[in-house]
Amino acid sequence: RLDLSSLDLAAPQQLRFADNPTGLANAATIDYGIDVTNAGYPLHATLAWSDYPGYGLIDDLDLSLIAPDGSTYWGNGVSGGDRANNTETVDLANAPVGHYTLHLYAYRVQAPGGEQPYAVVVTAAMGGTPPSPTPTSTPTVTPTALPCGVFFDVADSNPFHQYIHDLACAGVVSGVSYGYYQPNSSATRAQFARMVVRGFGLPIVTPSSGYSFADVPPTYWAWQYIETAYANGIVSGTSLGHFSPDNAVTRAQTVRMVVRARGWPIVTPATPDFSDVPPTYWAYHYIETAYTHRAVSGVGGGLFAPDANVSRGQLAKVLYNGINLP
């Protein structure tokens, strides 16, 4: 899969190579630690795999490199993952000294066999005498703790990057798996209730007996967060005695929770700022209040899309602004 015959390395540059015939199962990850010991030299990393025959990529692996300062460099320069090629490369012309993490993620593995074999090679200034270009050993796989707020799928250029980063470092939001936040995915009502309670630092409420919603018993993972939000007047049910904790939370519901948690005085203008949120809409005054405080914005064209599911990136922005804006 990788031709190493043309490599001609001089000290302190070295080669590290892994040929994994077992491969990665769908959604699996693996990390390789790289220690650059000399400044002024390039770092090259390449991942390759033989994809199963078919239209487009059947099995899709992602390569990313996390630098010592927390910056993430994606394979082929495609933030979030290249979806078109079965070879991905990261090139740094001048790699600073420090510890790097080479992160491999099986974005999609669906070919027969259930696992995608791969090969990965790294050349960098790692000190010592350069080894033979013929691969002879496999680098040690070392799980690496990521810096707070760093997610492989939230690039610095993502419009929600700062909100997600700061809330993650404060322990308010977390990823859906190791290194992944999924900013474009929806969130549930239970998940957002947990975020609001944590974000506003509300003391946990544990009812001494019974529970407030039939579908949120004490055995439910977010029971205490939902009960806390309910006790503070932040949430209400979706129908008589039910909360629907696993339903996706909408943009309007998100705004209502944040406005109530923050305690902003309600703003009710005579003229609406969004054509799809008239004064008769149930969350009109909450949306207008949040908009007055610049905690939210529309989706374009004078619309707010109140009944659309809020993305995990959008809810991070609303929650961050609700906590921090005056």
Side-chain angles (χ1 to χ4, degrees), residues 126-180:
M126 294 179 277
T129 303
S132 165
T134 303
T136 56
S137 63
T138 300
T140 301
V141 178
T142 54
T144 305
L146 296 175
C148 80
V150 172
F151 298 99
F152 301 117
D153 55 351
V154 184
D156 292 352
S157 57
N158 188 295
F160 304 111
H161 170 265
Q162 196 64 50
Y163 307 114
I164 295 169
H165 173 274
D166 290 358
L167 290 178
C169 287
V172 176
V173 303
S174 57
V176 298
S177 62
Y178 173 79
Y180 288 86

Side-chain angles (χ1 to χ4, degrees), residues 82-259:
D82 185 342
R83 302 286 167 250
N85 299 287
N86 67 329
T87 301
E88 296 195 9
T89 300
V90 172
D91 289 312
L92 301 185
N94 189 340
V97 171
H99 182 78
Y100 294 74
T101 298
L102 194 66
H103 181 74
L104 277 57
Y105 170 60
Y107 175 80
R108 180 181 62 247
V109 174
Q110 55 188 14
E115 293 178 320
Q116 173 60 61
Y118 66 87
V120 61
V121 62
V122 177
T123 60
M126 294 179 277
T129 303
S132 165
T134 303
T136 56
S137 63
T138 300
T140 301
V141 178
T142 54
T144 305
L146 296 175
C148 80
V150 172
F151 298 99
F152 301 117
D153 55 351
V154 184
D156 292 352
S157 57
N158 188 295
F160 304 111
H161 170 265
Q162 196 64 50
Y163 307 114
I164 295 169
H165 173 274
D166 290 358
L167 290 178
C169 287
V172 176
V173 303
S174 57
V176 298
S177 62
Y178 173 79
Y180 288 86
Y181 182 80
Q182 294 186 357
N184 298 322
S185 297
S186 60
T188 67
R189 287 168 52 82
Q191 289 169 342
F192 193 63
R194 174 182 179 269
M195 295 176 195
V196 171
V197 169
R198 285 190 165 192
F200 286 94
L202 300 177
I204 294 296
V205 173
T206 304
S208 57
S209 63
Y211 43 98
S212 302
F213 301 102
D215 54 353
V216 187
T219 54
Y220 187 77
W221 71 269
W223 174 61
Q224 287 183 311
Y225 294 110
I226 293 170
E227 291 288 356
T228 300
Y230 182 62
N232 283 273
I234 296 169
V235 300
S236 57
T238 55
S239 61
L240 183 62
H242 289 78
F243 185 77
S244 304
D246 298 320
N247 285 3
V249 65
T250 68
R251 287 170 55 84
Q253 291 169 347
T254 300
V255 170
R256 177 181 183 268
M257 292 185 204
V258 169
V259 169

Side-chain angles (χ1 to χ4, degrees), residues 10-16 34-44 68 92-100 122-130:
Q13 291 183 292
Q14 288 194 24
L15 175 146
R16 296 287 186 270
I34 304 166
D35 289 304
V36 172
T37 58
N38 298 72
Y41 293 89
L43 185 157
H44 303 293
L92 301 185
N94 189 340
V97 171
H99 182 78
Y100 294 74
V122 177
T123 60
M126 294 179 277
T129 303

Side-chain angles (χ1 to χ4, degrees), residues 73-79 82 89-90:
Y73 300 90
W74 287 89
N76 299 343
V78 181
S79 179
D82 185 342
T89 300
V90 172

